[in-house]
Amino acid sequence: MISYLKTNTFPTISMNQVLIVVGLALFSGIGLSFGIHSLVVGHDHTFGTSREVPWGILISPYVFFACLSTGLCIVSSLGQVFGIETFQPIIPRTVFLALITMATGLMCITLELESPWRVGFYALLSPHQSSNIWWKTTIYSLYLIFMLFNFMSLALTKKKMAKIFAIIALVTVTMGNLNMNSDMELLGARGFWSENYMPLYFLSLSTLTGCAGILLFSWLGKTFNGQTPNIENDMALKATGKLFTVLLLGILYFTGVKIMGGFFPQFTKNPEAMSLLVQGGFALNFWIGEVGLAVLIPLALILATKGKNANILALAGVSCLIGAFVLFYDLVIVGQLIPHYYQYNVVDLPQYYTYSPSLHEIMITTGAIFFFLASFVFGEILFKKIYTS
Amino acid sequence: MKIKDLEKLNDEGVESLSSKERRRFLQFGLSITGVFLGGTILSLTSAPKVQGALSSGNVPMTDFPYSPHYTMVIRQNHCIDCERCLDACRSTNNVPAHGYRTTILERSVPIAQKEQRERIFMPILCNHCNRPACVRVCPTRATYKDTTTGIVLMNPDKCIGCKTCMAACPYNARYFDEGKRAIDKCNFCYDTKLKESGGKITACAAACPANVRIFGDLTDPESAAYKLIHAPEKVVWVLRPETGTLPNVFYMNS
Ligand code: SF4
Ligand code: SF4
Ligand code: SF4
């Protein structure tokens, strides 16, 4: 709509593009309808969560999309806020991606709530300032609004206004990200979280996924719209690729710390959980997802092509994003699997609690991912002019 | 040593307790004792004051933050796992089949220097912590600490079902009641037996044939719970002290 107003031309859409949007939206609808069903009948009947493991897989896409959005906002502000020219051509798409990733994340957390209809009322009427969850949701909701204004200003080529909203959004989302750390740290029962949600790690991880998202979705956008090569855009992507590589090395260090904790109890405060992750039931997730897909494969791909091949950068991006999703899943679930009374020699207490996502949870997660993809494609069609201007 | 540092130490377990130091603190006038950490016994009700007491030697007379300050003492070695308390809790408080407010854990504990193990039944319920992790994390104040009695209560109408409190409670004391679409937990029978009895007893305590669960008021020297906690030769402890929640449910062998 905005694009139309500004350029006075309707975006041209091919039949294939329409089919893709409709298909994605349909899949999204199917997935999310499982969420509505769960809401009606209660999670007890449809979710794999339990009294012992109250948070399921839906927390992972929430954390994943929220971090991805944070990373996208950070990278977009390199061009918008800090004025680094190389990054400027990718600003509009990055801002739009940041917007829809956060919307997807908030949708996931809403569907994870058992009584979400009480949120609007009591989050406002009975706020709890010492609750980090309250802060986080409030901060992320505000951030969503700021990003929306940021994007609208960009679409209307009001650069100054866009910059102001970009600054506010950046400050807001960084607060939200740091809050995520204290959020988890507060949960005294689960030491694993306080150990693994270190602010620097989280911020680097967010920026890493942000870079990966830009590399992947710029490539997808280009493929989808069949755009002609654009040198400035390619330069921006190469610069993003460089930042991505540096961050991969940083995350490699943190992954090394996790490995040490998993094998040597003296390096961790939570040896049971760390060993479950690194050499126990979650070892496959850890080594294939967190080590291979998230860090080593992208690093190897980039080093092999010296970061110059856009297709390979996109491949590195998708690998990293899948790995990061696994990482967030592990983080949420492993943190809950150490039995509360494990030091008390309780008869019949399992060594670890168990959790596996139910069909409903998987469908909702898939629906959310399709929702994001449909919004992305929708953006590619509607805002093509803004992205390339 | 600051209370924060003390909390980082490991619980030494009751086996290695000496009651000497605890007696010393009792003489100082600390009204309530329990956690044994690194050889030091802490007052559980008034953490900032204890910090003062430990660091400066300047010992205050503890005044309780709540009045009445409800507590429960579990005389653990008397429990025979008859589960009458569980039934009483369920019927008095309409606890649905898919949840529980209290349960009994069976422990198998090695007996010192022998191959044998001892079976112990350990009743657990909400500890009505003085620093409740659940209350701290709740975004809508659906769970809160009653300012008069210190009981950790629920207002189901405000609960959005985020389950953060379940994730935060170190004692597995909460469950989601699908009927109410809100969290439910032990409330010391606040709206049922406690109310009926004029603040004297809870359903589980009343139902226990072995007098395992002693309910009482920490501000009342005549209360049975008060007397048990202050008996100088008795060792009293709380569960998972390392989490720093400062429980109001105490355990002892008596
Ligand atoms: S035992 Fe758990 S539910 Fe009860 S007050 Fe303490 S933290 Fe809250
Ligand atoms: S589940 Fe309910 S009581 Fe628990 S933290 Fe969330 S809103 Fe509060
Ligand atoms: S005090 Fe009341 S609510 Fe709590 S466990 Fe006992 S009977 Fe149940």
Side-chain angles (χ1 to χ4, degrees):
Chain A
M1 187 67 192
I2 295 157
S3 159
Y4 168 69
L5 285 175
K6 215 49 210 160
T7 59
N8 239 356
T9 48
F10 273 119
T12 45
I13 314 170
S14 74
M15 197 56 191
N16 280 348
Q17 289 180 330
V18 174
L19 284 178
I20 291 176
V21 181
V22 173
L24 290 172
L26 201 68
F27 279 124
S28 166
I30 295 172
L32 297 177
S33 62
F34 279 77
I36 309 291
H37 180 237
S38 298
L39 216 57
V40 176
V41 299
H43 293 184
D44 208 26
H45 306 287
T46 55
F47 276 31
T49 49
S50 59
R51 178 180 182 128
E52 285 73 25
V53 187
W55 282 353
I57 190 177
L58 275 175
I59 301 285
S60 317
Y62 168 50
V63 181
F64 173 81
F65 281 114
C67 282
L68 180 54
S69 185
T70 307
L72 289 163
C73 176
I74 290 172
V75 181
S76 80
S77 57
L78 292 178
Q80 274 198 108
V81 178
F82 301 106
I84 305 175
E85 270 186 36
T86 328
F87 286 97
Q88 282 174 355
I90 53 170
I91 291 173
R93 180 183 276 121
T94 309
V95 171
F96 184 72
L97 283 172
L99 189 65
I100 58 174
T101 41
M102 187 53 86
T104 312
L106 288 173
M107 189 175 74
C108 289
I109 193 71
T110 308
L111 289 171
E112 164 75 17
L113 301 179
E114 281 232 39
S115 310
W117 56 87
R118 293 179 184 141
V119 174
F121 203 52
Y122 288 110
L124 292 177
L125 278 190
S126 183
H128 194 196
Q129 284 83 2
S130 76
S131 156
N132 293 71
I133 292 277
W134 182 83
W135 277 109
K136 193 169 61 182
T137 324
T138 310
I139 285 173
Y140 282 158
S141 306
L142 288 174
Y143 161 80
L144 197 66
I145 297 169
F146 297 141
M147 277 319 248
L148 183 67
F149 283 125
N150 185 3
F151 186 72
M152 277 164 60
S153 312
L154 284 172
L156 297 166
T157 55
K158 300 225 179 297
K159 279 201 170 172
K160 261 196 180 157
M161 184 112 83
K163 186 175 174 177
I164 292 170
F165 282 117
I167 294 172
I168 303 174
L170 178 68
V171 173
T172 317
V173 84
T174 312
M175 274 162 52
N177 199 274
L178 297 179
N179 187 274
M180 185 94 79
N181 164 58
S182 21
D183 204 10
M184 295 300 185
E185 207 170 35
L186 259 185
L187 306 180
R190 328 277 179 162
F192 178 74
W193 283 334
S194 55
E195 184 170 345
N196 285 286
Y197 274 83
M198 293 160 288
L200 183 63
Y201 176 50
F202 232 64
L203 220 50
S204 323
L205 203 56
S206 302
T207 319
L208 177 82
T209 53
C211 291
I214 292 170
L215 294 172
L216 172 64
F217 290 106
S218 299
W219 180 86
L220 274 179
K222 217 162 127 184
T223 313
F224 182 78
N225 271 326
Q227 283 157 15
T228 45
N230 173 330
I231 296 177
E232 281 155 2
N233 208 52
D234 291 350
M235 294 283 285
L237 290 182
K238 268 192 195 133
T240 311
K242 277 187 193 146
L243 180 60
F244 184 51
T245 315
V246 173
L247 288 163
L248 279 171
L249 291 171
I251 296 299
L252 186 64
Y253 164 77
F254 285 111
T255 313
V257 174
K258 278 193 189 178
I259 295 173
M260 294 292 280
F263 285 118
F264 308 104
Q266 63 270 34
F267 289 107
T268 170
K269 285 183 230 148
N270 304 281
E272 299 84 9
M274 289 309 285
S275 110
L276 174 66
L277 176 67
V278 175
Q279 45 173 327
F282 280 70
L284 269 187
N285 281 14
F286 180 75
W287 290 101
I288 297 180
E290 297 193 32
V291 180
L293 289 170
V295 187
L296 290 185
I297 294 175
L299 211 50
L301 286 172
I302 291 175
L303 293 180
T305 52
K306 299 202 174 81
K308 285 183 182 156
N309 184 327
N311 299 344
I312 298 293
L313 280 176
L315 193 64
V318 75
S319 168
C320 177
L321 287 178
I322 296 173
F325 190 92
V326 176
L327 184 153
F328 287 125
Y329 175 78
D330 292 348
L331 201 52
V332 172
I333 304 301
V334 173
Q336 300 174 85
L337 297 186
I338 307 302
H340 297 80
Y341 294 99
Y342 77 99
Q343 288 162 318
Y344 285 79
N345 298 308
V346 176
V347 178
D348 292 336
L349 191 72
Q351 192 189 0
Y352 298 113
Y353 293 140
T354 52
Y355 163 80
S356 41
S358 68
L359 173 71
H360 274 73
E361 288 173 287
I362 293 171
M363 287 306 289
I364 299 170
T365 308
T366 318
I369 294 171
F370 275 108
F371 170 81
F372 164 71
L373 291 175
S375 313
F376 159 71
V377 172
F378 187 71
E380 290 300 321
I381 294 171
L382 210 59
F383 306 126
K384 188 158 71 175
K385 285 252 156 42
I386 300 171
Y387 289 173
T388 48
S389 63
Chain B
M1 189 183 271
K2 296 252 161 65
I3 197 160
K4 268 199 167 161
D5 301 326
L6 283 168
E7 280 163 11
K8 282 186 195 137
L9 300 172
N10 284 330
D11 177 13
E12 295 186 335
V14 279
E15 291 79 10
S16 60
L17 273 180
S18 93
S19 59
K20 211 169 116 207
E21 207 170 3
R22 185 169 152 270
R23 269 207 306 276
R24 193 165 64 84
F25 274 90
L26 282 174
Q27 283 157 8
F28 283 157
L30 293 173
S31 301
I32 159 176
T33 57
V35 185
F36 198 77
L37 284 166
T40 307
I41 294 162
L42 300 177
S43 160
L44 295 171
T45 49
S46 185
K49 288 184 179 166
V50 180
Q51 202 167 324
L54 292 175
S55 53
S56 65
N58 193 2
V59 181
M61 292 301 288
T62 309
D63 29 329
F64 286 92
Y66 307 103
S67 177
H69 187 124
Y70 287 128
T71 184
M72 191 178 278
V73 181
I74 309 274
R75 303 196 308 156
Q76 184 182 260
N77 57 332
H78 288 244
C79 180
I80 51 169
D81 194 25
C82 67
E83 300 195 354
R84 288 199 202 169
C85 50
L86 310 195
D87 296 339
C89 178
R90 204 172 276 288
S91 57
T92 309
N93 299 299
N94 291 322
V95 179
H98 65 264
Y100 60 84
R101 288 184 176 196
T102 177
T103 190
I104 313 285
L105 298 180
E106 182 183 341
R107 298 175 59 199
S108 167
V109 183
I111 299 172
Q113 288 156 4
K114 284 183 199 156
E115 295 286 291
Q116 295 158 325
R117 297 178 82 85
E118 184 188 6
R119 268 208 316 177
I120 295 172
F121 297 109
M122 184 170 88
I124 55 162
L125 67 162
C126 170
N127 287 284
H128 299 281
C129 308
N130 282 331
R131 213 190 275 155
C134 55
V135 170
R136 174 89 197 255
V137 298
C138 178
T140 57
R141 299 176 195 267
T143 192
Y144 60 98
K145 201 152 168 67
D146 182 48
T147 45
T148 311
T149 60
I151 298 179
V152 173
L153 294 171
M154 268 303 299
N155 178 349
D157 291 342
K158 285 188 182 177
C159 178
I160 61 171
C162 66
K163 301 184 182 171
T164 317
C165 55
M166 286 170 78
C169 170
Y171 303 99
N172 194 14
R174 307 178 144 250
Y175 72 97
F176 194 83
D177 184 333
E178 293 290 337
K180 292 185 199 160
R181 292 301 282 260
I183 296 289
D184 187 51
K185 64 178 284 295
C186 160
N187 59 1
F188 274 165
C189 298
Y190 185 76
D191 50 345
T192 53
K193 187 76 179 173
L194 190 66
K195 201 168 158 192
E196 282 163 27
S197 66
K200 290 283 177 274
I201 201 158
T202 65
C204 55
C208 179
N211 252 345
V212 173
R213 299 179 183 233
I214 312 296
F215 180 78
D217 173 6
L218 278 175
T219 60
D220 176 9
E222 295 307 312
S223 159
Y226 180 103
K227 285 181 183 157
L228 280 174
I229 288 171
H230 291 80
E233 295 307 324
K234 289 293 169 208
V235 169
V236 184
W237 67 95
V238 297
L239 301 182
R240 301 198 64 190
E242 76 282 1
T243 59
T245 53
L246 309 183
N248 277 312
V249 172
F250 301 93
Y251 290 76
M252 70 191 311
N253 288 324
S254 149

